[in-house]
Amino acid sequence: MLQELEELKLNALRELDAINNLKELESWRVRYLGRKSELTRVLRSLATLPLAERKAVGAGANEVKAKLEDSLEQKEQVLRGVQLAASAEEGGIDITLPGHPFPTGRLHPITQTIYEICDIFTSMGFQVVEGPEVEWDYYNFEALNIPEEHPARDTMSTLWVDFETDSGERPMLLRTHTTSMQLRVMEKMPPPLRVVIPGRVYRYEASDATHTPMFHQIDGLAVGKGITMADLKGTLYEFARRFFGEDRKVRFRCDYFPFVEPGAEMAIECSVCGGKGCRLCGNTGWIEILGAGMTHPQVLQRAGLDPEVYSGFAFGMGIDRMPMLRYGIDDIRLFYSSDLRFLRQF
Ligand code: DAH
């Protein structure tokens, strides 16, 4: 009897293996597990057997039954999956497919850098202001001691906006630096004031690995009584320490900008060679990152501030170079190519 049960089981499983649709599966179930099946007959006849045999055959039969039921269930799951996939092809819904992933957005590396720089300055008491990208010649140049014919204009090839006045002047442009906001701020906000001004700036230049006609700058301005060059150095030193790291060396040198007097330039120790000199820093060991200085008395005067009473410091830097230096990105155009493979890394 036990021998027969074993054969029954093997036969049933072999047949089950060959089945590939639910209809055949149902007739298999009726045949092997149904009321009139061999197995049911064996289980029913147990009562007629002598006790010893009843125990052994009962246990064996139940074991076979459990095995067949288990295999049936597994087979059914497999076949239902296949059926769902087939009906999905006909336009049905396949509930076994994974759900739609929700793509998460993230901030552009330039935006992240602007936020980070602004955070550092706001923690030192600066306020963040923004201003127009389409600007008057007056705020971008004239008010900053850069009259027409001044050589400083040559260093900032300007994109002019087609707007002609009666006298034939074309006084409108795309701002070439965020310094254009400095006089606007001084006109509106009474000192003492401390602001940083991040934003887009434009220059009439061809694109290459280190230039794009649109890029980003952030300017800073502090005006009040008794502000000195020491305040400027202290502020920028603290910024460099927080942004580039505690032990990065900083260097200040004299420089010229028409709207500050005296003017200075700040450089940080090269991140690639650590000051030894390499291609990135042009073998100098230093990377210039910003211009700065004490606000020119004439600029204060234009805002109606008495330079005998008030003084101020200012600084301005390019933003795009910061993540380039930090992550070793060698082509600025990657920021503006909208290539998600690049952008997703930040
Ligand atoms: N505007 C200058 C530039 O684009 C940078 C600059 C230099 C800004 C000195 C300042 C400053 O505010 O004080 O090259």
Side-chain angles (χ1 to χ4, degrees):
M1 190 76 112
L2 283 170
Q3 176 76 32
E4 275 170 40
L5 277 171
E6 186 61 22
E7 261 167 42
L8 178 91
K9 184 176 89 175
L10 291 176
N11 273 340
L13 291 178
R14 197 178 310 121
E15 271 179 44
L16 184 65
D17 217 28
I19 287 174
N20 55 26
N21 63 59
L22 288 168
K23 216 171 137 199
E24 277 178 43
L25 188 67
E26 175 58 13
S27 67
W28 179 91
R29 188 192 66 79
V30 171
R31 206 163 346 122
Y32 288 103
L33 290 164
R35 267 186 298 127
K36 293 180 183 156
S37 68
E38 177 70 11
L39 194 60
T40 305
R41 196 188 56 71
V42 171
L43 283 165
R44 284 212 183 111
S45 68
L46 282 177
T48 64
L49 297 174
L51 187 63
E53 209 176 330
R54 193 192 306 167
K55 264 193 170 170
V57 174
N62 275 316
E63 200 186 298
V64 171
K65 191 178 177 210
K67 172 74 191 161
L68 293 188
E69 280 172 350
D70 214 37
S71 306
L72 170 73
E73 201 183 316
Q74 276 178 25
K75 185 77 183 188
E76 189 173 341
Q77 272 175 18
V78 171
L79 290 179
R80 285 208 188 279
V82 171
Q83 200 183 36
L84 278 167
S87 73
E89 273 166 28
E90 293 157 18
I93 294 168
D94 182 355
I95 58 163
T96 65
L97 286 174
H100 290 291
F102 287 99
T104 47
R106 65 192 75 204
L107 295 173
H108 191 280
I110 299 287
T111 309
Q112 287 180 29
T113 309
I114 291 175
Y115 284 5
E116 195 183 333
I117 295 173
C118 286
D119 273 354
I120 294 173
F121 283 108
T122 50
S123 79
M124 291 193 263
F126 285 75
Q127 210 177 314
V128 180
V129 273
E130 288 179 306
E133 290 170 30
V134 177
E135 184 55 282
W136 299 109
D137 180 298
Y138 178 72
Y139 287 109
N140 194 85
F141 290 130
E142 289 282 338
L144 299 174
N145 297 337
I146 314 173
E148 225 174 307
E149 312 304 330
H150 192 287
R153 290 206 180 202
D154 298 345
T155 64
M156 298 186 193
S157 332
T158 308
L159 284 153
W160 296 96
V161 173
D162 216 353
F163 175 87
E164 207 166 314
T165 60
D166 291 340
S167 58
E169 276 180 302
R170 292 170 61 201
M172 216 187 245
L173 46 78
L174 296 183
R175 66 178 177 193
T176 60
H177 51 182
T178 42
T179 317
S180 62
M181 269 299 283
Q182 290 197 3
L183 195 70
R184 283 181 178 275
V185 167
M186 284 186 261
E187 284 174 348
K188 287 240 168 69
M189 296 167 67
L193 66 87
R194 267 174 287 179
V195 296
V196 280
I197 310 137
R200 297 177 168 199
V201 300
Y202 301 83
R203 303 218 182 148
Y204 184 56
E205 270 170 6
S207 297
D208 62 29
T210 52
H211 297 87
T212 43
M214 186 283 292
F215 56 101
H216 298 79
Q217 283 188 341
I218 185 164
D219 259 64
L221 176 70
V223 182
K225 289 179 182 165
I227 289 184
T228 69
M229 194 96 181
D231 298 312
L232 171 64
K233 278 187 79 174
T235 305
L236 292 180
Y237 185 72
E238 175 65 11
F239 162 72
R241 217 175 51 78
R242 301 255 290 267
F243 192 82
F244 295 104
E246 295 279 336
D247 39 54
R248 188 74 74 84
K249 287 204 189 105
V250 170
R251 179 190 75 181
F252 288 91
R253 291 208 303 195
C254 292
D255 203 349
Y256 169 75
F257 300 98
F259 35 91
V260 284
E261 181 58 38
E265 150 244 287
M266 187 176 92
I268 53 162
E269 202 177 35
C270 179
S271 55
V272 171
C273 62
K276 283 190 201 68
C278 67
R279 223 181 49 168
L280 181 69
C281 58
N283 275 321
T284 62
W286 297 96
I287 293 170
E288 287 159 25
I289 58 161
L290 59 81
M294 300 306 290
T295 306
H296 198 288
Q298 280 173 12
V299 176
L300 291 170
Q301 255 162 358
R302 276 190 200 101
L305 298 171
D306 183 351
E308 297 294 330
V309 180
Y310 294 104
S311 56
F313 70 69
F315 58 88
M317 65 186 127
I319 289 172
D320 307 60
R321 274 184 79 194
M322 306 295 180
M324 291 177 77
L325 290 173
R326 185 180 276 182
Y327 301 116
I329 296 161
D330 60 6
D331 195 327
I332 190 176
R333 290 169 295 193
L334 285 165
F335 289 131
Y336 305 112
S337 62
S338 301
D339 187 335
L340 289 177
R341 290 169 307 173
F342 170 74
L343 295 173
R344 280 205 181 105
Q345 299 176 83
F346 301 96

